Structures are given as structure tokens and as C-alpha cells.
Amino acid sequence: MYRLRKKRIYIRKNEIIDSLEIYEGEKRRFYSYTYMVKGKKGWVPSVRWDNFQQQPHIDRYDESGALLEQKNSPEKELEAVEHLVKIFRRNLVAMSLEDF
Amino acid sequence: MKVVIKKRADKEYMLKKERELKEKYGSIDSLGQKASIEKCSFPALIDDYELWKAIEKGCEIEEEIIFQDSSIFRTLSPSRIEMLDFMSKNSVASIKELAHAVKRDYKNVYFDITALKKQELVELIKKGRENIPVSRIEKIAILFD
């Protein structure tokens, strides 16, 4: 049985984490956690963790939402991402996050 | 503290979501190809692809909006909560009909619906010339942790 869990977490008024998790039974098959900041044209991705095609990685974007870099990263849980975002917020984009 | 808003995702919602994805991308295969090629530039494609795959497999959906403080209560006034309560139990054909049902002025109800839509607490479904207000909220919880 597939179960999809979608969450939008407001960190501040202009900062959110959009989370999408898909479970098959108890096993998490897919996750994406996107830290987004509200810009002039709406929500712009800033940092994103996902495991698309079973390749856990982290993407970093500039202020316009264009990809800056993509690096491998260990599998992440939403709680860990939420914790990181709450501590570092907009500074995340300038940090080396692949070891976190 | 946290304010957790839980949304209902019934069969009708899943069908609507599937229709929207079909209109936007054509087929799941073309979206899959697009997601593989443009996954870096447009990460939302990946989420839409995984969402569509899960819907096709008949998944259950749990949806929540979480606020880390009480700021949402600037939007959730008593009259707006009453309106959400009404919409969760009844369906209306237009904002005008909703205003009539909750015995309030159309202009004020329209203003309230716009504010609730901004926070994604209400959806407006276009049908002909009407915008049908729909609320999928089934629970609002305040957690002190």
C-alpha cells in the first residue's frame, strides 16, 4: 500500500520547507525536502534534499532559483532538515551541507 | 508551539489532481522524461512525477500545513473559522451562495475567502463563470511542545 505524506512547514512568514514523502508499507521510497524563500515572483527554492532515482543528493539554488550546484548527500529525515533550516535559515545556501 | 492544519484528501481530490497533472504534462511518461532531463533546473517536476506515480498506484494522501507560531490566527478570525467549518460539512456552488448560507455580506465573505486562499486554506475551483470555494480542512490543532 502506497502512502503519500505532504507537508508545508512555515519557518517564518517568508520561509518554508515543502516536504513530500512516499511510503510503500513502512519503507520510505521517495523524499524531497525543499527550503524555499518568498521572492517577488513567489516561492523560490534555496536548498533541496531528495533521493530521486535512488540517488540521495542536495541541490543549492541562487536567489532567482537557478541551480548553483548539486552534491551527493546521505539520506535525510524531515526532522533533521527542519532542525538545520531553523538554525541556519538563509545562511544554508552558503554552507557546505553534504556532510550534515 | 505549533499550529497543525490537516487537510482531507478524498477520491475526488485525487481525481482532480490527476486531471490537473494530465492537463499540465500530457502523460506520466512524458513527465518522467522531462523530470529526468530537467531535474536540476525544475525540481518541482520530480515532485509532480512522484506524486502522479503514487496516485496511479492508488495511494493514500496525508496533507498538513504547519506553522511554528501563532501568526496564522491573524488570518483565522472567528468568522473565518465558522466559514471553514461550514464548508467542511457542506458544498456551495459559489461565493455568493456561501455568503447567503452563513448570513454574511458578500463583499466581506469574498475578502475572507481571498485571505484564506492566500494561506492555501481554501481552494477556488473555476466552473463556468463561478468560482466555487472548497475547503479540505478537517482538523486544526494547537500543539504546545
Side-chain angles (χ1 to χ4, degrees):
Chain A
M1 184 63 192
Y2 274 73
R3 202 157 39 88
L4 190 145
R5 199 179 281 170
K6 222 173 152 190
K7 282 185 187 175
R8 169 163 284 192
I9 303 169
Y10 279 81
I11 303 298
R12 290 283 187 280
K13 196 182 166 191
N14 293 327
E15 294 167 60
I16 56 167
I17 300 170
D18 260 353
S19 148
L20 180 69
E21 294 174 321
I22 296 168
Y23 292 84
E24 188 177 2
E26 289 305 305
K27 194 177 176 233
R28 186 180 61 168
R29 291 184 62 89
F30 173 78
Y31 69 82
S32 78
Y33 308 125
T34 314
Y35 169 57
M36 300 170 100
V37 176
K38 203 169 200 172
K40 282 176 189 167
K41 290 178 183 172
W43 294 108
V44 179
S46 186
V47 182
R48 176 182 163 104
W49 294 259
D50 77 57
N51 70 339
F52 185 54
Q53 294 170 332
Q54 279 72 54
Q55 292 171 327
H57 62 272
I58 176 169
D59 298 332
R60 223 188 297 255
Y61 299 86
D62 69 9
E63 282 173 7
S64 68
L67 185 78
L68 286 174
E69 64 168 7
Q70 183 174 68
K71 284 193 171 169
N72 290 334
S73 156
E75 289 258 341
K76 277 274 176 274
E77 299 290 332
L78 177 59
E79 290 72 22
V81 167
E82 197 182 333
H83 185 66
L84 265 179
V85 169
K86 276 184 187 166
I87 294 172
F88 299 109
R89 297 180 53 205
R90 291 179 198 225
N91 294 324
L92 277 174
V93 82
M95 290 171 61
S96 173
L97 292 165
E98 49 277 13
D99 300 325
F100 273 96
Chain B
M1 77 167 291
K2 268 184 193 171
V3 180
V4 179
I5 299 178
K6 198 173 173 195
K7 286 183 171 184
R8 186 181 55 238
D10 51 18
K11 209 166 182 175
E12 202 178 313
Y13 170 75
M14 309 265 266
L15 290 170
K16 182 183 156 251
K17 204 78 209 165
E18 202 171 4
R19 262 200 315 272
E20 282 173 6
L21 290 165
K22 211 169 187 174
E23 272 170 29
K24 202 169 169 187
Y25 303 109
S27 70
I28 191 164
D29 293 332
S30 68
L31 174 58
Q33 282 174 4
K34 220 172 169 184
S36 296
I37 296 164
E38 300 179 56
K39 60 189 173 193
C40 301
S41 318
F42 300 103
L45 289 174
I46 298 172
D47 291 354
D48 280 351
Y49 178 56
E50 293 293 339
L51 174 71
W52 199 348
K53 272 200 314 189
I55 289 175
E56 280 215 326
K57 284 176 179 150
C59 69
E60 285 175 2
I61 298 185
E62 297 166 22
E63 201 175 336
E64 285 179 350
I65 306 175
I66 300 163
F67 297 87
Q68 308 284 342
D69 54 30
S70 58
S71 59
I72 187 63
F73 289 109
R74 279 187 216 123
T75 304
L76 285 176
S77 65
S79 56
R80 288 175 184 174
I81 292 174
E82 277 166 25
M83 226 162 59
L84 289 172
D85 181 33
F86 181 84
M87 281 192 283
S88 71
K89 294 170 196 152
N90 306 281
S91 52
V92 286
S94 63
I95 298 176
K96 196 175 169 185
E97 195 182 302
L98 175 65
H100 183 74
V102 294
K103 296 182 179 73
R104 290 184 58 209
D105 181 58
Y106 171 78
K107 204 173 128 192
N108 294 338
V109 170
Y110 184 86
F111 180 77
D112 285 349
I113 289 289
T114 308
L116 291 167
K117 188 178 177 278
K118 237 184 213 174
Q119 297 284 359
E120 293 176 43
L121 304 178
V122 161
E123 289 158 39
L124 287 176
I125 300 169
K126 204 153 181 67
K127 198 171 183 186
R129 290 174 63 188
E130 296 293 350
N131 276 318
I132 304 172
V134 177
S135 166
R136 293 191 294 112
I137 293 173
E138 65 177 16
K139 192 194 265 183
I140 300 177
I142 305 170
L143 309 177
F144 300 107
D145 50 5

